[in-house]
Every structure is written in C-alpha cells, then in structure tokens.
Amino acid sequence: MSVRGYDRALSLRELLSGVAPGKLSAALTVLLGAPARIVSADGGWVMDDVPALIESAKRLPLVHDLEIAGFLETTAADQGHVRAIAIILESFMRSGARYFMASEMHIEVVKTDFEELQRRHEALTASEARYKALSAHLEERVKEQVNTIESARRQLYQAEKLASVGQLAAGVAHEINNPIGFIRSNLSTAQSYVQKFQHVAERVKSSGDAALAGAWQSADLDFVLEDFPSLLQESVDGADRVARIVSDLKGFSNVDQAGEEIVDLNDNIRSACNVAANQISNRADLKLALGELPKLRCKPGHLSQVFLNLLLNAAHAMKQRGEILIQSGVENNQIVIRFKDNGCGIPPDILPRIFDPFFTTNDVGAGTGLGLTVSRDIILAHGGSIEASSTTDAGTTFTIHFPIRNT
Ligand SMILES: Nc1ncnc2c1ncn2[C@@H]1O[C@H](COP(=O)(O)OP(=O)(O)OP(=O)(O)O)[C@@H](O)[C@H]1O
Ligand SMILES: [Mg+2]
C-alpha cells in the first residue's frame, strides 16, 4: 500500500480545516479586542472571507514546518497579545496537519482496501462464472454419456435375444445341414432315375403288349411319370429353403459382436424375410420390389435386426390378412428402403412416440417397446435416418435412408 501525497506541504486552508472559520475569526476579534483576519502566504485564501483591514494593520507570520503558511492580520495594538494568539494558531495548525494526514491516510487505506475488495469480488465473480459454465458442460456431458450407455444397453438387450436365437440356430444348423445335404443329393439322384423311367416308358408303350399296357394304365403311370419330376423339384426347393433359413438364422448368432462388412443390403432384407416368414405367412402376403443397390460398408447383423423388427411390426399390425411391400433403390444418391404395410396404421397422437424407449401398444409381455428404439439407434449409428408416416386404418410406411459409403 502506498499513501499518495503523504509528505507534501499542506496549505493554510488545509491546516485549519478542523476549525469552523466563522467561529475562529469571531473568537480572534474578541481575544484581540480589534478586527483580525487570517490570510494565506500567497494571499489567495482569506479565512471566512473577512474584508481587508486598513493599511496600518499589522501582519504576523504563521509558521508551519519552518515555512510561512500564512499571516495573522490585525489592527490590535498589543503585540504581545497578538504573538500569543499567533502561537495558539500555529499549534492549531500543527494539530490540523496531524489530523489532515491521518484522515488522508485513512481515506487512502479505505480506498485501497475497497479496490482490493473489488478486485477480489471481480475475480470471484469470474471464477463463479467459470464454475457455472463448467458444471453446465459437465451436466451436458453426463447426459450424453447416460444416453450413449442407455442406447448401448437397449441394443445389447435386443441383440442378446437375437443372438441366443442365432446360437440355437447355429447348433441346430449343424444337425440339420447333414441330413439336408443327403436329402438334397438323393433327390437329385431320384430326378435322374425318373428320367430313366421316362425312356423305358416310351418303349413299354410302343411294345404292343396289351397286359403291360393295361397294368400301365390302371396304375396311371403316365400321370405318375409326368408329376414325379415336379414333385422332386418342389422337394429340392423345399430342402434348399430349409438350408437357407438355417443359414439366415445363423446370421443373427453374432449380432451382439458384429463387425463391419461390405454387403448388398438386399441380401439382408431377403434373409430377414426368411427368418420372419413363419410369423408373416399367416397374416400377410410379402412382396419384394428390390432395386439394384450399391454395396454398403455396414454392420450387416445389426441392419438385419432392423429389417426383422420392421417386418414383425408390420405383421403384427394386420387385423386381417394384408400385404407388406418392401422397396429398395437409390434416390438422390442415397440408399432408400421402404417397408409399407396396409395394417391398422398408427394414430397421429401416438406417431411421435413410437421411437421412444419402452413405448408399446402391445399387451404386457407381448412387446418390450424397444424394437423401433433400437432400430433407430442402429440406423443413426450408420449415419442414416428413419421416418414413419401412417394413416389410421390404412397402413404405415417406414422409410430408411443411408448415405452411400463403402470405404
Ligand atoms: N407397422 C406398424 N403399424 C402399426 N403400428 C406400429 C407399426 N410399427 C410400430 N407400431 C407401433 O409402435 C409401437 C412401438 O414399436 P416397437 O417395435 O418399438 O415395439 P413393440 O413392437 O411394441 O415391441 P418389441 O420390443 O417387441 O418390438 C408398437 O407397439 C406399435 O404400436
Ligand atoms: Mg416391434
């Protein structure tokens, strides 16, 4: 702390600032028995603006700190008296100087303290603002983290469900693939056997043997030989379908730890259709209008999960037998996939909530209300988007967009 002007020379006015000027000049006049006034050394200040005295008035210097600070002017004749008064005035001036310095110091100290307090207050306000900003930021970060964890938890929950189906399928697939393999191979062999029979049939019919022809006709072998190849073909197709369904189911066995691959999403749509076929077939006809798609780098297991969710939702929306149409194609340099159904539709007041976690209109135990939440999270994680539009009692369309990226 530094006290400004601590040792400067004080003016007469300052030295006498502790005395009321009117009262002092009145007291001087009484004490001296004649008019008197006090004037500063340079004549610039006259105490209480007492008018000038006659020219013959005496001037006695008033000394402070070895310097003449002013004069006592009076017409009083008794010089001893005047000197005594001057001495009293000088002692007033000394105590005035002490008072002035003390009060200046006090003011300076208070001012410095106040400035220091102000500085601290400003620093505190700034640090409070910093803490507030930090805590707001922290709250935001925590919210973000909670959302991320929640979304991961939901995905894991659904993925685990599917993965356990997939693991079961993988186990069953091992058992099924073997018999399906020899059924398929035996059917191919049977097809070649039938061809041999067809050659023989021509010769039997042209042999002219009436008994043989009678037996042939009564067993309706013409029809048998005609129907046999298509029976076998249907069986081959059936065996192929079983093999495909098993392999599609197996595709879900690692959805909880799926990595990225470059795939044609139409394959994933078909595979989800195969997996859901059983649940769809008794409720709706499934139509596919899949256009050519550029290959996409993605987590195929996750996207199959999305397609399965949308298919099952569409199937559940059927109050009577209906139709589900899946379209795919490229629009505006984006992959677009639509799932359209003509089921019960979604009322406008519910539509904004269908992607909310745990929102379901299904009975307790029939749905968790996570299907669409997880689907949206997965699509967003792929940089895509999903929207729903719906008309009550007319049907619902879910539209998915993916930016094209395969690097
Ligand atoms: N295609 C649709 N038609 C009509 N309503 C639908 C359709 N898809 C979704 N919804 C509505 O949105 C709700 C939420 O769907 P979501 O898939 O998230 O959950 P959920 O199907 O009820 O349960 P789950 O967790 O088993 O999928 C459904 O309960 C249903 O009311
Ligand atoms: Mg669902």
Side-chain angles (χ1 to χ4, degrees):
M1 180 190 74
S2 78
V3 179
R4 276 173 289 125
Y6 173 72
D7 52 356
R8 73 180 164 87
L10 297 173
S11 70
L12 183 67
R13 184 183 191 159
E14 287 167 336
L15 291 171
L16 291 174
S17 59
V19 191
K23 282 184 184 166
L24 184 59
S25 59
L28 286 178
T29 307
V30 171
L31 285 172
L32 292 167
R37 68 172 198 166
I38 296 171
V39 183
S40 66
D42 59 3
W45 180 73
V46 180
M47 186 167 196
D48 204 25
D49 288 336
V50 179
L53 300 179
I54 49 170
E55 272 184 18
S56 59
K58 298 263 170 29
R59 291 181 112 204
L60 210 76
L62 298 172
V63 176
H64 175 71
D65 270 357
L66 306 176
E67 284 191 28
I68 295 174
F71 299 95
L72 169 62
E73 288 181 357
T74 179
T75 50
D78 185 341
Q79 282 311 298
H81 220 140
V82 175
R83 258 195 301 278
I85 296 291
I87 289 167
I88 292 172
L89 281 174
E90 280 173 354
S91 83
F92 266 179
M93 284 157 60
R94 270 195 299 281
S95 67
R98 275 200 294 278
Y99 164 77
F100 198 85
M101 260 165 42
S103 79
E104 274 241 306
M105 247 171 133
H106 178 73
I107 289 169
E108 191 66 30
V109 168
V110 168
K111 202 169 147 215
T112 317
D113 279 359
F114 179 71
E115 279 171 2
E116 178 64 23
L117 266 176
Q118 240 178 354
R119 254 197 313 280
R120 282 196 200 166
H121 174 71
E122 273 161 24
L124 267 174
T125 315
S127 103
E128 189 190 344
R130 266 201 312 276
Y131 276 117
K132 267 192 189 152
L134 196 72
S135 84
H137 182 64
L138 255 173
E139 239 171 72
E140 234 168 66
R141 286 290 309 270
V142 169
K143 260 190 214 158
E144 259 172 41
Q145 298 277 351
V146 168
N147 279 348
T148 314
I149 293 169
E150 283 280 296
S151 140
R153 206 168 55 88
R154 288 194 296 265
Q155 265 194 46
L156 202 66
Y157 174 76
Q158 262 232 338
E160 269 174 2
K161 250 184 6 183
L162 279 172
S164 56
V165 173
Q167 270 151 17
L168 193 71
V172 174
H174 185 70
E175 299 299 322
I176 288 180
N177 276 344
N178 203 16
I180 281 288
F182 61 71
I183 288 174
R184 211 188 167 298
S185 132
N186 290 352
L187 286 171
S188 301
T189 315
Q191 273 173 326
S192 69
Y193 290 169
V194 171
Q195 272 173 3
K196 285 186 186 166
F197 270 118
Q198 275 165 339
H199 289 310
V200 177
E202 295 309 317
R203 293 183 59 184
V204 168
K205 279 197 267 181
S206 57
S207 69
D209 185 327
L212 203 55
W216 187 272
Q217 271 196 346
S218 68
D220 205 4
L221 286 184
D222 275 335
F223 174 76
V224 169
L225 275 183
E226 194 191 313
D227 199 31
F228 216 159
S230 53
L231 284 187
L232 289 175
Q233 191 51 48
E234 270 176 29
S235 307
V236 168
D237 292 347
D240 284 348
R241 230 174 103 202
V242 171
R244 210 170 47 239
I245 289 170
V246 170
S247 108
D248 288 336
L249 274 172
K250 250 169 66 181
F252 285 94
S253 65
N254 64 348
V255 282
D256 52 346
Q257 53 208 322
E260 285 200 335
E261 283 171 43
I262 298 179
V263 299
D264 180 348
L265 285 184
N266 284 336
D267 292 338
N268 296 76
I269 294 174
R270 285 192 204 95
S271 128
C273 290
N274 285 331
V275 172
N278 178 41
Q279 301 217 35
I280 296 173
S281 59
N282 52 353
R283 291 169 178 261
D285 296 320
L286 184 56
K287 294 200 170 148
L288 300 185
L290 306 179
E292 198 177 320
L293 296 181
K295 295 215 166 183
L296 185 74
R297 174 178 282 283
C298 62
K299 293 187 171 175
H302 285 185
L303 292 183
S304 300
Q305 194 181 338
V306 171
F307 302 147
L308 188 64
N309 279 331
L310 294 177
L311 270 170
L312 294 180
N313 281 354
H316 288 154
M318 299 300 171
K319 296 287 170 255
Q320 61 209 28
R321 190 168 186 83
E323 189 179 287
I324 301 171
L325 170 66
I326 308 178
Q327 296 170 320
S328 68
V330 174
E331 291 170 22
N332 298 326
N333 207 27
Q334 288 195 315
I335 293 179
V336 182
I337 301 169
R338 290 193 179 83
F339 284 72
K340 296 185 176 190
D341 68 64
N342 59 358
C344 62
I346 306 171
D349 56 321
I350 281 183
L351 193 59
R353 298 166 59 200
I354 55 172
F355 291 102
D356 291 352
F358 305 110
F359 176 80
T360 180
T361 52
N362 289 328
D363 295 337
V364 178
T368 54
L370 284 177
L372 285 179
T373 318
V374 168
S375 300
R376 190 199 43 196
D377 288 348
I378 291 174
I379 291 169
L380 290 180
H382 283 81
S385 65
I386 177 168
E387 292 124 41
S389 65
S390 187
T391 312
T392 318
D393 295 329
T396 305
T397 300
F398 283 90
T399 308
I400 304 172
H401 285 89
F402 287 115
I404 296 173
R405 71 179 181 119
N406 49 20
T407 47

